[in-house]
Amino acid sequence: MKNAIYKRYIAWGVTVFTVIALSIIFFFIIYRARGVGEALHSLINILRPFIYGAALAYVLNPVYKLCERLLTRPLALHIKKQKVVAYIVRVISTIITLIITFIVLFGLFYLVIPQLADSIIGIIKKMPDYSRNLWLWINQLFEGNPYDEPFGPLIMSAYQSLVDHVDQWRQTDLFPLLGNWAMRAYSGLRIAITAVINLLIGIIVMVYLLNAKHIFAAQGKKVLYSIFGPKLGNTIIENIRLTHRIFGGFINGKLLDSLIVGIICFIFLVVTKMPYAMLISVIIGVTNIIPFFGPFLGAIPSAILLLFESPILCLYFLIFILVLQQIDGNIIGPRILGGTTGLPSFWVLFAILLFGGMFGFVGMVLGVPLFALIYSLAKALIYRSLNKYGLPADTETYKELHHINTEDNSVVKNNSA
């Protein structure tokens, strides 16, 4: 009896101590946010190759698993030893995954980035010509127009003010930024070399993670069960699987969806001979990763680029983007993504605004699956609590609810109150 009392007191003491310690850590992080941020930034820089490797392994894991599924059965028919089959499958799957990785990197560094750089340099050089062409087009638009008198001078004045601000930014901010080219080139070269080294180490880490993921998963389960026991351990592992299903389905599906959208956009721009095909396609593809707002964020700067070149091309492009987004939203996206998040549209918008405001572009991309996970966990807890009290779980039951009868937990509607 005394031992039970002592154990209860010890449990309470450990709980109080843990709460106090966590509170102290929380307030320390708040008051020393800058120092904590710098420490985290340094730690991230040190672990950057492992972060790259983990990200590549997570994105390419479906490819690796597909290769395993396709190779295991044919090899097992000809080779009797299971260990030999598993070894050969791992080697071939790793080689195929590496080939795909290097093809993507080759296309990025030797095809996409040089064209992006040429397009950006061309835009900077042609800024005065663009503003002059747009000025002439606006003059022609209002020439002989009966509404020229009230609106023409106002629009021309606003446009001239915008051109002056852009030209001032180009001369006072952009050109000095591009100046001192030797120092900039050295700094850029050093950053590029560091990034390439981190990426190469990350690829090595990716190979280790892909081949040893089953061992790491088994070790993680062993640690979880040793700390939390069978019941809570099962719950934690179930939630980890839910997290993987939501994040993996959303991220991989959204990357594939955005790649398809970018390729379709590039083909259209090349066929119609519009300028900056690669730059605009990359903008459209990258911003398409962001749910809800992505199409608008990508279309606006792309349309402005084409507006400087030709207003008619800009109009054609906007019509094409409208059609493309309808096709993506109703055909391509649903087939690839399905119901990976399960979030209603309102909560998708809420998640993008909340996490985008907190973490920028990364928050806008990962905010939806993160909030979908929180939403699923909260939904599971609510359903569990309702079942505990013997209450219905479907939302329709609570429409027009006045109160619940405490005697038999029956729902009383407003019209029957």
Side-chain angles (χ1 to χ4, degrees):
M1 185 68 181
K2 290 183 177 181
N3 290 335
I5 295 175
Y6 289 149
K7 286 182 179 180
R8 186 171 63 182
Y9 287 152
I10 291 172
W12 274 104
V14 171
T15 303
V16 171
F17 174 78
T18 304
V19 171
I20 294 173
L22 291 176
S23 300
I24 293 172
I25 293 172
F26 177 74
F27 283 107
F28 176 79
I29 292 174
I30 292 177
Y31 286 109
R32 300 294 181 182
R34 179 175 297 181
V36 173
E38 292 176 355
L40 288 175
H41 187 264
S42 300
L43 181 63
I44 289 173
N45 284 334
I46 295 172
L47 298 177
R48 198 174 294 275
F50 293 92
I51 295 173
Y52 289 166
L56 288 172
Y58 194 76
V59 171
L60 293 171
N61 186 51
V63 177
Y64 185 90
K65 290 172 67 175
L66 178 63
C67 294
E68 283 185 326
R69 287 197 300 268
L70 294 176
L71 293 171
T72 300
R73 180 173 292 181
L75 289 175
L77 295 175
H78 298 86
I79 302 174
K80 300 300 181 182
K81 292 185 178 180
Q82 189 175 359
K83 290 185 178 180
V84 177
V85 172
Y87 176 78
I88 295 175
V89 167
R90 285 199 302 269
V91 171
I92 298 177
S93 300
T94 301
I95 292 173
I96 293 174
T97 306
L98 284 174
I99 291 173
I100 293 174
T101 303
F102 284 116
I103 288 174
V104 172
L105 293 176
F106 175 82
L108 181 66
F109 286 108
Y110 290 94
L111 298 178
V112 177
I113 291 180
Q115 290 196 35
L116 291 180
D118 293 340
S119 299
I120 294 171
I121 293 172
I123 291 171
I124 295 173
K125 289 181 179 179
K126 293 181 179 179
M127 274 186 180
D129 296 334
Y130 288 156
S131 61
R132 185 168 56 253
N133 293 338
L134 190 56
W135 175 272
L136 293 174
W137 179 77
I138 294 176
N139 273 322
Q140 293 174 1
L141 181 66
F142 283 98
E143 187 176 0
N145 195 315
Y147 299 102
D148 177 52
E149 187 61 32
F151 296 109
L154 181 63
I155 294 177
M156 300 300 290
S157 175
Y159 175 74
Q160 186 59 48
S161 176
L162 177 63
V163 169
D164 292 340
H165 278 88
V166 172
D167 190 62
Q168 182 180 2
W169 168 79
R170 186 170 63 94
Q171 295 181 12
T172 59
D173 295 332
L174 184 60
F175 285 159
L177 183 65
L178 298 176
N180 196 7
W181 64 270
M183 185 62 68
R184 300 280 179 187
Y186 171 74
S187 178
L189 182 62
R190 186 179 61 183
I191 294 173
I193 292 174
T194 303
V196 170
I197 292 174
N198 288 336
L199 184 60
L200 291 176
I201 299 175
I203 292 174
I204 297 173
V205 173
M206 177 196 74
V207 172
Y208 276 107
L209 290 176
L210 287 175
N211 286 281
K213 60 181 183 293
H214 299 297
I215 298 175
F216 291 142
Q219 291 173 343
K221 292 174 184 177
K222 182 172 68 174
V223 172
L224 280 176
Y225 283 118
S226 68
I227 296 174
F228 299 103
K231 187 175 181 180
L232 186 56
N234 288 336
T235 303
I236 293 174
I237 290 176
E238 182 182 350
N239 290 327
I240 291 174
R241 290 192 180 116
L242 174 65
T243 304
H244 171 66
R245 186 168 65 250
I246 292 175
F247 273 85
F250 178 83
I251 293 174
N252 290 306
K254 203 62 182 174
L255 287 175
L256 179 58
D257 174 55
S258 300
L259 177 64
I260 294 172
V261 169
I263 292 173
I264 294 174
C265 181
F266 179 75
I267 293 173
F268 172 81
L269 295 178
V270 170
V271 170
T272 55
K273 298 181 180 179
M274 290 191 184
Y276 311 119
M278 181 62 71
L279 176 61
I280 293 175
S281 301
V282 170
I283 293 174
I284 295 297
V286 171
T287 55
N288 193 72
I289 299 174
I290 302 173
F292 200 85
F293 292 112
F296 304 102
L297 294 176
I300 291 173
S302 304
I304 292 174
L305 287 177
L306 292 175
L307 179 64
F308 286 134
E309 193 74 30
S310 169
I312 300 299
L313 291 179
C314 176
L315 178 62
Y316 291 158
F317 173 76
L318 289 175
I319 295 173
F320 164 73
I321 287 297
L322 180 62
V323 174
L324 177 61
Q325 292 306 326
Q326 291 299 317
I327 294 173
D328 178 47
N330 295 290
I331 299 175
I332 302 175
R335 286 185 175 274
I336 295 175
L337 292 171
T340 52
T341 60
L343 275 182
S345 300
F346 173 81
W347 293 116
V348 171
L349 177 61
F350 177 82
I352 293 171
L353 293 176
L354 175 64
F355 292 102
M358 294 172 63
F359 305 108
F361 179 80
V362 175
M364 297 180 77
V365 175
L366 299 181
V368 172
L370 178 59
F371 192 84
L373 175 63
I374 298 172
Y375 186 89
S376 299
L377 294 176
K379 184 177 178 181
L381 289 174
I382 292 170
Y383 279 22
R384 184 180 301 174
S385 180
L386 290 172
N387 290 330
K388 178 182 177 182
Y389 292 109
L391 298 174
D394 59 302
T395 305
E396 292 293 327
T397 306
Y398 295 88
K399 289 183 178 179
E400 303 296 330
L401 179 144
H402 184 271
H403 69 277
I404 291 180
N405 193 332
T406 56
E407 294 180 359
D408 57 357
N409 288 342
S410 61
V411 175
V412 180
K413 299 288 185 177
N414 283 327
N415 54 10
S416 62

